[in-house]
Amino acid sequence: MTSPAAPSPALTLTLSLPRSTPAEQGVDPGGISGLLDALESAAVEMHSLMVLRHGQVVAEGWWAPYEPSGLHLLYSLSKSFTSTAVGLAVHEGLLGVDDLVTSFFPDQVPSHVSSSTAKLTVRDLLSMATGHREDTLDRMDRNHLVSSFLALAPEEEPGAWFTYNNGATLMLSAIVTRLTGERVLDYLRPRLLDPLGIAEANWQGVDSLDYGFSGLHLPTEAIAKLGQLYLQHGRWQGVQLVPEAWVAEATRTQVENPREPNPDWRQGYGYQFWMARHGYRGDGAFGQFCLVLEEQDAVVAITAAAADMQSVLDCVWSSLLPALGAEAGPATEAEALTARLGRLTLPLGLGGRSTPATVDLPFSTVQSAAKASGARVDVTGIEESGDGWRLTLADQFATYEVGCGYQSWTRSECDVWPGARLQVAASGGWTGPTTFTAEVAMVQTPHRLTLVCDVASGLTTASWNVAPLGPTSASPLALDLARG
């Protein structure tokens, strides 16, 4: 097989998707407004939304403090990029989907492997049909990932039994790295990211591997570009970046998954893509979505912090889907939508600006006293700064300062480990005679902390909007991001 043509210089520029209006692309703006209403009614915490039709962006918005250029953790939407890397490696003749998994790691195959493990193929990894009844990830040894995976005998025959298996995708990442000598992100850079104009990307990993199953950070527009590329059968600006045959195989049902509880998760599974009641998608925990709607020639990219991901899709199907191809309403609807998309924000921290008479600033307390609360992050200092405050935060690993706005979001970039910086945005105020409350968004992730500090006792309570699937304190979260 021949390798794909090298991207031309014109394609390596950072190019934005073309913009248009809903009416020009046959979309009723009232349906997009209806989607925003439905998401609000369902109490979905949205971070970004992009709607494309006929390859044109017809609506886009970011809920402050999230921004268009900001990277956002994709969680398992990362898997669709891993699948794309495998497809490119297949096209380059480095492997085939029916190759045995053990064939790539002769030096790491345990002395005794089950007959089912010996049968495992790349296709089984791609389609989550390894035969394991449970996810293998938590049973894999971080120091011996490949050999520990191969030591886990599938309980069912590979090829037919679907289990959502993060360990299977990690093995795909390991295969790509074994064959190319590169991490998946580095392998994708000249073949996919540069031609799509995706300049900024980060992928968490372990040792020399990108996780593959999670950990990829990209801007929202990069999610939209992947969806548009797949909608166009792998072709981009006149160049076939991903083989059309791979796109067709990756986005059709490879294995049935009738045991999944939610309707949009039991429509079948492809190669690291979910089939859906409408179209297909890549998705990640807490509402990271790349929806590809072939019948409507549309793509929807979403980042969010949604505990109920099915509710997000329900809102899209009920409100947005009927608007794709519908006659546009009056011009005032479009104007109202544009204005609304321009002022989106997460709820700001509540409370007053004036320091209560019972509190002397700057407040400070020793970290050991605050740790008695069991909080993951403690407020150990508060001082006035401009129109807001400067907060000193601490966990068991690090102490750092963040700006906190009053009725606004203040962004900070904090050094929490050598070489590891955490990007946050905070908003807050005084909510009681001795109580300060702050919302602290980790803006490269879906996660936001509510910190309630009682300066009389020096104790802090902390709660997540949705708890991270991994480190649950801010400084190790930053370190994990920095590993990418």
Side-chain angles (χ1 to χ4, degrees):
M1 299 182 184
T2 59
S3 298
S8 69
L11 286 176
T12 60
L13 298 175
T14 303
L15 300 176
S16 294
L17 290 163
R19 265 62 178 178
S20 184
T21 67
E24 288 172 338
Q25 303 305 323
V27 180
D28 178 9
I32 302 173
S33 296
L35 172 62
L36 298 177
D37 292 338
L39 292 165
E40 286 184 7
S41 296
V44 174
E45 180 181 313
M46 291 287 291
H47 294 166
S48 68
L49 170 69
M50 293 186 78
V51 179
L52 283 66
R53 188 145 198 264
H54 306 325
Q56 308 271 327
V57 179
V58 298
E60 57 188 321
W62 283 261
W63 280 252
Y66 291 89
E67 299 177 341
S69 61
L71 303 183
H72 198 284
L73 174 59
L74 304 190
Y75 277 115
S76 285
L77 178 49
S78 309
K79 292 179 171 73
S80 299
F81 288 85
T82 302
S83 169
T84 304
V86 174
L88 292 170
V90 168
H91 181 61
E92 292 176 5
L94 300 179
L95 77 160
V97 295
D98 293 317
D99 289 349
L100 297 175
V101 175
T102 54
S103 69
F104 302 104
F105 308 103
D107 55 327
Q108 299 182 59
V109 177
S111 56
H112 298 286
V113 296
S114 70
S115 58
S116 295
T117 298
K119 296 177 185 176
L120 279 177
T121 66
V122 174
R123 187 191 304 274
D124 297 329
L125 300 179
L126 285 163
S127 59
M128 299 288 191
T130 63
H132 295 97
R133 281 186 168 269
E134 297 179 355
D135 189 355
T136 58
L137 184 64
D138 289 341
R139 293 177 284 161
M140 294 169 68
D141 183 341
R142 182 186 177 95
N143 297 315
H144 305 282
L145 289 168
V146 170
S147 60
S148 61
F149 175 86
L150 295 175
L152 297 171
E155 298 83 0
E156 303 291 340
E157 190 70 12
W161 182 276
F162 175 86
T163 294
Y164 195 65
N165 189 345
N166 289 295
T169 317
L170 181 55
M171 287 296 291
L172 292 172
S173 176
I175 289 171
V176 171
T177 295
R178 170 59 67 98
L179 293 175
T180 66
E182 297 180 286
R183 297 175 73 132
V184 173
L185 185 63
D186 295 331
Y187 178 71
L188 286 176
R189 171 56 64 192
R191 295 166 175 83
L192 183 78
L193 303 185
D194 285 345
L196 292 181
I198 300 172
E200 298 296 325
N202 182 26
W203 208 324
Q204 297 163 249
V206 55
D207 299 328
S208 61
L209 294 178
D210 292 330
Y211 284 137
F213 63 88
S214 184
L216 181 59
H217 293 69
L218 289 173
T220 310
E221 187 160 342
I223 300 171
K225 286 178 175 179
L226 180 76
Q228 189 62 36
L229 174 68
Y230 269 74
L231 182 61
Q232 295 169 179
H233 310 292
R235 196 165 184 82
W236 192 263
Q237 297 187 359
V239 176
Q240 194 72 40
L241 295 183
V242 179
E244 184 174 0
W246 181 263
V247 172
E249 285 295 291
T251 61
R252 72 173 181 86
T253 298
Q254 295 287 342
V255 62
E256 300 291 342
N257 53 0
R259 294 179 300 279
E260 294 297 303
N262 291 319
D264 278 296
W265 275 260
R266 57 170 178 262
Q267 304 299 319
Y269 196 76
Y271 289 163
Q272 311 287 293
F273 284 91
W274 295 91
M275 306 304 105
R277 287 179 291 173
H278 305 281
Y280 60 86
R281 71 186 188 278
D283 71 32
F286 309 118
Q288 323 318 312
F289 285 109
C290 178
L291 309 180
V292 181
L293 306 173
E294 291 184 292
E295 291 186 11
Q296 292 78 20
D297 194 24
V299 171
V300 182
I302 291 171
T303 62
D308 180 4
M309 290 173 62
Q310 181 63 63
S311 69
V312 179
L313 294 180
D314 290 343
C315 291
V316 173
W317 306 152
S318 63
S319 299
L320 179 62
L321 197 65
L324 301 175
E327 184 176 344
T332 52
E333 281 191 354
E335 293 169 359
L337 174 62
T338 299
R340 183 176 181 180
L341 290 170
R343 60 173 184 266
L344 297 170
T345 184
L346 297 185
L348 295 168
L350 302 177
R353 172 70 183 88
S354 299
T355 304
T358 53
V359 174
D360 292 325
L361 291 184
F363 156 80
S364 63
T365 186
V366 295
Q367 185 179 350
S368 58
K371 285 179 65 177
S373 69
R376 291 172 288 263
V377 178
D378 299 298
V379 179
T380 61
I382 305 172
E383 62 179 310
E384 293 182 336
S385 177
D387 293 331
W389 300 268
R390 195 79 184 162
L391 308 181
T392 302
L393 305 184
D395 57 34
Q396 62 268 46
F397 301 104
T399 299
Y400 44 97
E401 293 186 344
V402 303
C404 180
Y406 172 62
Q407 296 183 345
S408 66
W409 291 100
T410 298
R411 298 179 70 91
S412 304
E413 192 168 293
C414 315
D415 287 308
V416 296
W417 292 80
R421 297 176 67 81
L422 183 67
Q423 294 186 26
V424 305
S427 176
W430 292 99
T431 52
T434 61
T435 304
F436 189 91
T437 301
E439 299 290 335
V440 182
M442 313 298 171
V443 293
Q444 290 180 297
T445 80
H447 306 296
R448 177 171 42 83
L449 277 167
T450 300
L451 303 176
V452 181
C453 176
D454 180 356
V455 300
S457 64
L459 296 182
T460 301
T461 58
S463 59
W464 290 104
N465 57 344
V466 287
L469 303 181
T472 55
S473 290
S475 58
L477 182 65
L479 179 62
D480 216 25
L481 296 177
R483 289 194 181 107

